[in-house]
């Protein structure tokens, strides 16, 4: 099983739609989780951290399910500007260091 | 404003030539990282450094070298031993507390000509 897995998509959704991405991770000791957004030919940028209690930032909601080892990102009322690749990132600590593992990303295209 | 600066933005290398990619941060972050991204692929870790004068190999270190003589700087050299160097290279850094996430530079796109 890969360490961090995401559905690569692409997800093609109309403007105004609600779309959800999931990301599964294999190491139960993983401690920090993030969603990053990467636009074409640009660097990844932090979208939001993910907490067990869930967190919301405007149209974006992130959830963590430790029991099932997955995190999710929900985007409501999709905008054209949401079109990007969304990367799931998992941080695991061990032996005095932190290991950062990226999913391969899920591509979202919001169409008019 | 604090951030990470990568240069150059675009770099062309001839076969058999070594090139060095620059990464400088003024965030006072201890840890710095180099990743490679190929089209349609995820990020793969090349090297990382947790403190000055110390660095560790990542998953794909062969054909690359790094140094960490200053906290602010973590240059990556792509040597002639790297057989397929054309890729998008990203430098990142993080604070001591990983829950704050990682900050990325804007990347260097390297092409072998």
């Amino acid at each position: 099983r890969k360490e961090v897995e995401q559905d690569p998509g692409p997800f093609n959704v109309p403007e105004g739609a609600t779309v959800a991405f999931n990301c599964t991770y294999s190491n139960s000791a993983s401690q920090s989780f993030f969603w990053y957004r990467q636009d074409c030919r640009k660097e990844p940028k932090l979208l939001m951290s993910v907490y067990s209690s869930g967190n919301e930032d405007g149209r974006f909601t992130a959830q963590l399910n430790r029991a099932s080892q997955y995190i999710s990102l929900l985007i409501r009322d999709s905008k054209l500007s949401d079109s990007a690749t969304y990367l799931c990132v998992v941080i695991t600590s061990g032996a005095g260091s932190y290991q950062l593992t990226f999913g391969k990303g899920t591509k979202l295209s919001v169409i008019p | 404003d604090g951030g990470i600066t990568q240069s150059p933005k675009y770099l062309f290398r001839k076969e058999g030539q070594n090139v060095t990619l620059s990464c400088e941060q003024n965030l006072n972050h201890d840890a710095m990282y180099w990743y490679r991204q190929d089209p349609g692929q995820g990020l793969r870790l090349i090297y990382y450094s947790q403190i000055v004068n110390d660095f560790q190999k990542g998953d794909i270190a062969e054909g690359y070298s790094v140094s960490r003589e200053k906290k602010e700087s973590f240059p990556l050299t792509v040597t002639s031993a790297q057989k397929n160097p054309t890729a998008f290279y990203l430098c990142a850094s993080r604070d001591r507390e990983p829950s704050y996430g990682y900050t990325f530079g804007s990347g260097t796109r390297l092409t072998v000509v």
Side-chain angles (χ1 to χ4, degrees):
Chain A
R1 180 180 177 184
K2 293 181 183 174
E3 290 188 51
V4 177
E5 288 198 71
Q6 293 182 251
D7 183 339
F11 284 58
N12 299 311
V13 303
E15 271 187 289
T18 295
V19 61
F21 309 135
N22 282 337
C23 169
T24 59
Y25 61 95
S26 60
N27 190 335
S28 59
S30 296
Q31 61 188 90
S32 299
F33 308 88
F34 305 90
W35 283 103
Y36 276 73
R37 170 193 170 129
Q38 186 175 26
D39 292 289
C40 188
R41 302 175 75 84
K42 299 283 189 182
E43 75 275 21
K45 292 187 178 177
L46 180 63
L47 180 65
M48 47 198 313
S49 304
V50 189
Y51 306 114
S52 297
S53 55
N55 48 308
E56 188 173 312
D57 183 3
R59 298 181 292 108
F60 297 82
T61 300
Q63 292 274 357
L64 166 64
N65 186 317
R66 285 193 182 273
S68 301
Q69 294 181 207
Y70 76 85
I71 67 172
S72 64
L73 177 68
L74 182 77
I75 305 176
R76 290 181 297 277
D77 188 23
S78 300
K79 311 291 184 191
L80 295 176
S81 57
D82 294 334
S83 298
T85 296
Y86 291 83
L87 304 172
C88 164
V89 180
V90 175
I91 297 178
T92 308
S93 66
S97 67
Y98 294 99
Q99 178 182 349
L100 175 70
T101 305
F102 286 84
K104 292 189 175 182
T106 298
K107 186 172 181 180
L108 171 66
S109 293
V110 180
I111 52 182
Chain B
D1 285 340
I4 298 184
T5 301
Q6 285 188 245
S7 62
K9 194 172 180 67
Y10 299 95
L11 185 59
F12 297 88
R13 191 195 93 169
K14 292 182 180 179
E15 296 263 4
Q17 192 178 46
N18 290 1
V19 290
T20 298
L21 282 58
S22 170
C23 178
E24 304 276 333
Q25 54 98 358
N26 60 3
L27 299 164
N28 199 33
H29 284 176
D30 291 309
M32 297 185 74
Y33 304 79
W34 274 105
Y35 290 91
R36 169 183 172 141
Q37 188 175 37
D38 294 281
Q41 300 295 315
L43 278 70
R44 292 185 290 169
L45 181 64
I46 304 173
Y47 267 98
Y48 65 99
S49 167
Q50 307 234 58
I51 56 172
V52 175
N53 292 323
D54 184 63
F55 48 83
Q56 306 294 330
K57 292 183 179 180
D59 301 318
I60 54 165
E62 186 175 349
Y64 299 98
S65 66
V66 293
S67 63
R68 186 85 187 275
E69 296 176 3
K70 298 186 299 182
K71 187 175 186 177
E72 302 79 20
S73 179
F74 191 39
L76 173 74
T77 297
V78 184
T79 74
S80 56
Q82 171 49 237
K83 298 305 178 190
N84 186 22
T86 295
F88 186 43
Y89 290 86
L90 286 159
C91 179
S93 73
R94 69 161 178 83
D95 202 350
R96 193 162 298 175
E97 175 49 59
S99 64
Y100 294 124
Y102 289 62
T103 303
F104 284 86
S106 57
T108 293
R109 199 163 296 276
L110 173 64
T111 304
V112 173
V113 296

